[in-house]
């Protein structure tokens, strides 16, 4: 076979044609990659149907009649969260004025105590020094008194001058003053002068709950020793504070003395009331909130640190929308209504529902306006849309 016939045979062969095609594709494909701009391919947009849009058959549209939201006038409400705190004016520190070592503790943290109850005992050298000063004052006063009586008798008989009598009287008065001071020092330290002891008893100054303890057995106690001078802190919890954070744009809605309804997370079925005692003059720079203090009488179950929700009712009234209770759908801890969207379609719209009012209606705080139409039975339409 000649060379020309061989080439003609190879070109006519199918295998040669396929190999040539693949080579050309690879060649031009690589060239296209080399000459391309390097930009990514355009993004493909996938259209997803609106999950809040419900379409019903035209013959079934009459099954979902519309109702109009009616206007409802009510006082505006403001809700804020907070925690229970002790009334600072009812907190009393327990301090041992006698410096020394704690030898016995009768109470502990969280205990309820009565006024005058023994809390702890301190062994102190201050008592010994104070009682020694008291005994010396007694002796000095007795001696000065005898000297004055003697001087008074001598003056009557003309044996001494008026100046000497006055000097003896002055010494007697100074001795009495020292005795009174020494006696008061014993009382301050809590020492009975008739039954002196180096151990001082420290009693509760008020009735309440021990909310702080900074002392243990064998620890140092007193105002001039190292450590905290306050051994215990007692709080009278008959009246407590609830401190709430209120945003600055809501502060004008509040007034001193305004009533607040309190609901506790621990006792949701036992609401209580209180009144605003203070609106903080300084805002938190990061949260832009002010501390609002609500003074509450403790019915007995309030504990420090409890979370609470306070609701304030404004004196000014506002216009809200009201719809039948069946028109509101409660789904996933949120509230919704269905608004007509044309062409037998209804759009599920989120709202902020308020309290129930007369006529089995529900107050709508935001989301729709008075006069707007909504589906009268939201649950029925939601069920039909899921089928």
């Amino acid at each position: 076979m000649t060379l020309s016939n061989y080439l003609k045979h190879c070109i006519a062969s199918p295998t040669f044609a396929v190999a040539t095609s693949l080579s050309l594709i690879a060649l031009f494909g690589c060239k296209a990659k080399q000459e391309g701009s390097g930009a990514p391919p355009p993004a493909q947009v996938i259209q997803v149907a609106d999950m809040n849009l419900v379409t019903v058959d035209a013959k079934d549209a009459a099954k979902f009649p519309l109702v109009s939201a009616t206007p409802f006038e009510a006082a505006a409400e403001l809700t804020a969260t907070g925690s229970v705190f002790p009334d600072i004016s009812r907190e009393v520190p327990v301090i041992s004025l006698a410096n020394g070592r704690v030898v016995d503790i009768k109470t502990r943290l969280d205990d309820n105590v009565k006024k005058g109850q023994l809390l702890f005992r301190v062994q102190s050298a201050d008592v010994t020094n104070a009682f020694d000063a008291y005994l010396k004052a007694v002796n000095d006063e007795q001696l000065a008194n005898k000297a004055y009586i003697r001087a008074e008798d001598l003056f009557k008989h003309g044996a001494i001058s008026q100046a000497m009598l006055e000097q003896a009287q002055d010494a007697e008065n100074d001795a009495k003053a020292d005795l009174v001071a020494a006696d008061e020092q014993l009382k301050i330290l809590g020492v009975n002068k008739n039954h002196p002891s180096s151990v001082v008893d420290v009693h509760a100054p008020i009735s309440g709950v021990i909310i702080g303890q900074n002392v243990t057995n064998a620890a140092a106690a007193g105002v001039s020793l190292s450590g905290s001078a306050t051994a215990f802190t007692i709080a009278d919890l008959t009246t407590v504070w609830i401190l709430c954070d209120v945003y600055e744009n809501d502060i004008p809605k509040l007034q001193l003395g305004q009533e607040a309804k309190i609901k506790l997370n621990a006792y949701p079925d036992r609401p209580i009331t209180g009144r605003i005692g203070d609106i903080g003059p300084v805002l938190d720079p990061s949260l832009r909130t002010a501390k609002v203090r609500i003074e509450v009488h403790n019915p007995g179950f309030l504990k420090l640190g409890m979370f609470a929700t306070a609701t304030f009712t404004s004196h000014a009234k506002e216009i809200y929308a009201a719809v039948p209770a069946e028109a509101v759908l409660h789904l996933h801890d949120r509230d919704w209504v269905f608004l007509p969207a044309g062409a037998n379609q209804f759009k599920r719209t989120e709202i902020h529902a308020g309290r129930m009012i007369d006529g089995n209606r529900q107050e709508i705080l935001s989301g729709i306006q008075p006069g707007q139409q909504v589906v009268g039975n939201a649950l029925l339409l939601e069920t039909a849309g899921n089928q």
Side-chain angles (χ1 to χ4, degrees):
M1 180 181 295
T2 65
L3 179 59
S4 60
N5 291 336
Y6 177 75
L7 292 176
K8 291 179 180 179
H9 174 74
C10 291
I11 293 173
S13 173
T15 303
F16 178 80
V18 172
T20 304
S21 300
L22 291 176
S23 300
L24 291 174
I25 291 174
L27 177 62
F28 287 104
C30 292
K31 184 177 182 181
K33 288 182 180 179
Q34 292 175 357
E35 295 179 354
S37 62
Q44 296 183 358
V45 180
I46 301 176
Q47 299 293 337
V48 179
D50 189 351
M51 300 300 295
N52 290 323
L53 198 62
V54 178
T55 303
V56 299
D57 191 87
K59 62 181 179 181
D60 294 331
K63 297 180 181 179
F64 310 104
L66 302 178
V67 296
S68 297
T70 58
F72 174 71
E73 186 179 37
E77 290 187 347
L78 172 64
T79 301
T81 58
S83 301
V84 180
F85 288 84
D87 185 342
I88 295 179
S89 63
R90 296 174 179 267
E91 286 186 27
V92 178
V94 180
I95 298 174
S96 173
L97 297 179
N99 298 302
R101 183 173 62 92
V102 177
V103 294
D104 191 13
I105 296 180
K106 299 295 184 181
T107 56
R108 64 178 64 184
L109 187 66
D110 295 336
D111 283 355
N112 285 279
V113 296
K114 299 294 184 181
K115 182 178 180 179
Q117 180 178 336
L118 177 61
L119 300 181
F120 63 99
R121 311 182 76 192
V122 178
Q123 187 177 36
S124 173
D126 294 347
V127 177
T128 303
N129 298 332
F131 190 69
D132 179 64
Y134 170 75
L135 292 180
K136 290 182 178 179
V138 170
N139 294 334
D140 292 343
E141 194 279 330
Q142 290 177 353
L143 180 61
N145 184 56
K146 291 178 181 179
Y148 173 67
I149 294 175
R150 187 183 311 111
E152 192 175 32
D153 183 63
L154 292 174
F155 176 75
K156 289 180 180 180
H157 292 83
I160 61 174
S161 64
Q162 178 72 26
M164 297 180 66
L165 175 62
E166 292 176 352
Q167 185 177 6
Q169 186 178 8
D170 182 67
E172 164 67 358
N173 293 336
D174 290 345
K176 285 183 178 179
D178 291 341
L179 179 58
V180 171
D183 186 44
E184 287 297 323
Q185 182 65 23
L186 291 180
K187 291 180 181 179
I188 291 174
L189 294 176
V191 179
N192 185 350
K193 62 183 179 181
N194 297 320
H195 302 283
S197 172
S198 62
V199 177
V200 178
D201 294 338
V202 181
H203 301 86
I206 63 169
S207 299
V209 179
I210 298 178
I211 63 172
Q213 179 176 349
N214 299 315
V215 68
T216 59
N217 279 318
V223 295
S224 63
L225 296 181
S226 61
S228 175
T230 302
F232 291 101
T233 300
I234 301 177
D236 179 5
L237 299 183
T238 56
T239 299
V240 296
W241 291 350
I242 295 181
L243 298 181
C244 298
D245 292 314
V246 177
Y247 288 102
E248 59 179 324
N249 57 325
D250 291 326
I251 294 176
K253 302 177 183 178
L254 304 180
Q255 297 177 353
L256 293 178
Q258 185 174 345
E259 185 179 78
K261 297 179 181 179
I262 311 298
K263 182 176 289 187
L264 300 167
N265 290 8
Y267 301 99
D269 56 339
R270 302 173 74 176
I272 58 178
T273 59
R275 293 194 177 275
I276 297 178
D278 179 67
I279 300 175
V282 180
L283 296 183
D284 187 310
S286 57
L287 300 178
R288 309 305 302 169
T289 58
K291 291 291 184 183
V292 175
R293 185 178 74 207
I294 305 172
E295 298 176 357
V296 180
H297 174 72
N298 189 354
F301 56 83
L302 290 180
K303 300 184 182 298
L304 301 182
M306 277 185 169
F307 286 105
T309 301
T311 302
F312 308 95
T313 302
S314 173
H315 296 291
K317 293 186 177 181
E318 298 182 9
I319 302 298
Y320 299 99
V323 298
E326 293 82 4
V328 180
L329 176 66
H330 305 286
L331 184 65
H332 306 307
D333 296 328
R334 297 159 76 179
D335 298 319
W336 311 79
V337 294
F338 284 98
L339 302 179
N344 302 323
Q345 291 184 326
F346 302 93
K347 185 175 182 59
R348 188 172 63 185
T349 303
E350 185 178 1
I351 61 169
H352 181 197
R355 55 191 168 179
M356 296 296 298
I357 56 179
D358 297 337
N360 194 27
R361 297 182 301 161
Q362 189 159 12
E363 179 185 26
I364 308 300
L365 302 178
S366 63
I368 61 173
Q369 299 296 326
Q372 282 189 267
Q373 290 188 319
V374 299
V375 175
N377 195 323
L379 181 60
L380 181 61
L381 181 57
E382 176 69 15
T383 304
N386 292 331
Q387 291 178 353

